[in-house]
Amino acid sequence: MSPRRPKKASQLATALIEHNSDAIALVDEAGTVLYANPAASRILGLPIADIVNSNLFRWVHDADLQTMRANFEKTLAKPRAPIPNAFRMRHNDGTWRHIESVGVNWLDTPGIRGIIINYRDVTESRRSEEALREGEARYRQLTEQATDIIYNCDLDGRFTFVNPTATRLTKFSEQELLGRHFLSLVRGDHRQRVAEFYERQRREYIRSTYFEFPAIAKDGTEVWVGQNVQIVEEQGRAVGVQAIARDITQRLALEDQLRQAQKMEAIGRLAGGVAHDFNNVLTAILGSADLLSMMLDRDDPKWAEADAIKRAADRGAALTRQLLAFSRPQRAAATIVDLAAVVGSMEPMLRRLVLEKIAIRVTVSRSPLPVRADEASLNQIVLNLIINARDAMPEGGTATIDMGEAELGDPLAATLGLMPGRYAGVSVSDTGEGIPPDILRHVFEPFFTTKPADKGTGLGLSIVYGIVKGLGGTIEVQSEPGHGATFTIYVPLVGT
Ligand SMILES: Nc1ncnc2c1ncn2[C@@H]1O[C@H](COP(=O)(O)OP(=O)(O)O)[C@@H](O)[C@H]1O
Ligand SMILES: [Mg+2]
């Protein structure tokens, strides 16, 4: 035991030192330990007896020795000044412990004559700090790589964080977004609703909500997003929200397509039912009118009336037949016809149908296009499409019929609602007024027409639709207002 070991420490002081959770050591100017408390023994995993009289530096990590010595010199040079230090010490179990210390030079003080070092093991708190940093890095990586938009807003609704997907989809830079109110990205007519929703979530403290709205990107493009919004709390108080949002434009389009198909089916069934009953009524009218005209003399003025009834009922019957064609797609015809030959042979008839202001170009496919269908149905398809093309070009223009083989693989087949395979494709294009998007989605519906009552029935395309569906094919339309329209039908090719 060192002669300089304080002898007259009071009982209280001894108790305080011995029970201190921080390590306390007294060393001489060479770093030799004169005294160490139990906490110091715990940090090194050595009995106090093995610590005292050893040099403190022997447990210090090589990499930290230089700074450690420099700080020690400083301590020696500045009596009474607390000099902080951080270094690693080797525990008896071989692990390195991170130490933070404060040394004070009391060498000139009688009764102490040493350097008092207070130190503690900060390995655990270091480790949790590191874990926190790692967690943050992981979180950052996650938000940066996420294909979803992730953003935070303050309670006001101003962006405080946006991830790269947010900037990519909105086309605003991060700087432009931060501080901006999220409502400014919501399409004008939805702003009120979204604002109320957001407000309500905070007012009623709903932890998590989901809602959808159209957002407008910097370049004016529209993106429908669905977002989950979560209240962010700090110490039990709401400080803002975090949202995870996704571009749902595509999903909405698919849902729309499905709804449209279901609607067509429902309307078709309804029209079919009405047409069927109405046909029975017409049959009765026709029969009675027939009988009546037989009973009457040709010169009788009543005969002309009976004949007028007959003709009107005939027209009605023709109309209901068309409706039935739409609603009850014919079972696949037993005959195999060459679609190329059928359409090609219609050319002279189509020319007579349209005025000379309209040019008709038919490109007949060189190879035959065998399909399972009846000629009358194919005629009806082309006729209806050409009549529409004619109506769309009152000032004249060109109607073009193209055809050929189409090998439809996925995903094109799937988007057309067809099985992958080989199809005969026929397209009818015009250079007319085109079809605006809000009308485009309705053109195949029965009775949908934009033409005056005496000109259009709205049945043409629905009949075409019914026929091609019945043939196992489909019809597709592409149009840009002012740039004409192209209707394309696909009918399965029959292997030869
Ligand atoms: N080639 C086309 N160009 C522009 N609009 C078209 C064309 N074909 C069809 N349409 C639109 O689709 C609607 C429905 O067509 P259709 O079912 O044939 O009925 P209708 O010709 O009796 O109006 C038309 O009223 C028209 O608005
Ligand atoms: Mg028509």
Side-chain angles (χ1 to χ4, degrees), residues 388-389 392 430 434-435 443 448-451 456-462 485 487:
N388 281 346
D430 62 64
I435 313 173
V443 293
F448 178 85
T449 181
T450 54
K451 296 168 193 173
T457 58
L459 284 177
L461 286 179
S462 58
F487 287 83

Side-chain angles (χ1 to χ4, degrees), residues 181-199:
H181 202 286
F182 88 95
L183 277 177
S184 69
L185 295 183
V186 178
R187 201 176 77 195
D189 54 335
H190 282 255
R191 226 167 264 165
Q192 174 98 9
R193 177 179 69 88
V194 174
E196 276 163 17
F197 203 91
Y198 184 74
E199 169 60 28

Side-chain angles (χ1 to χ4, degrees), residues 4 18 22 93 95 138 142 175 210 242 315 372 437 456 464 482 495:
R4 278 197 277 180
E18 304 263 303
D22 279 3
D93 66 7
T95 59
R138 254 203 304 278
L142 207 67
Q175 287 95 315
Y210 178 81
Q242 176 166 66
R315 276 204 304 280
R372 198 175 293 279
V464 173

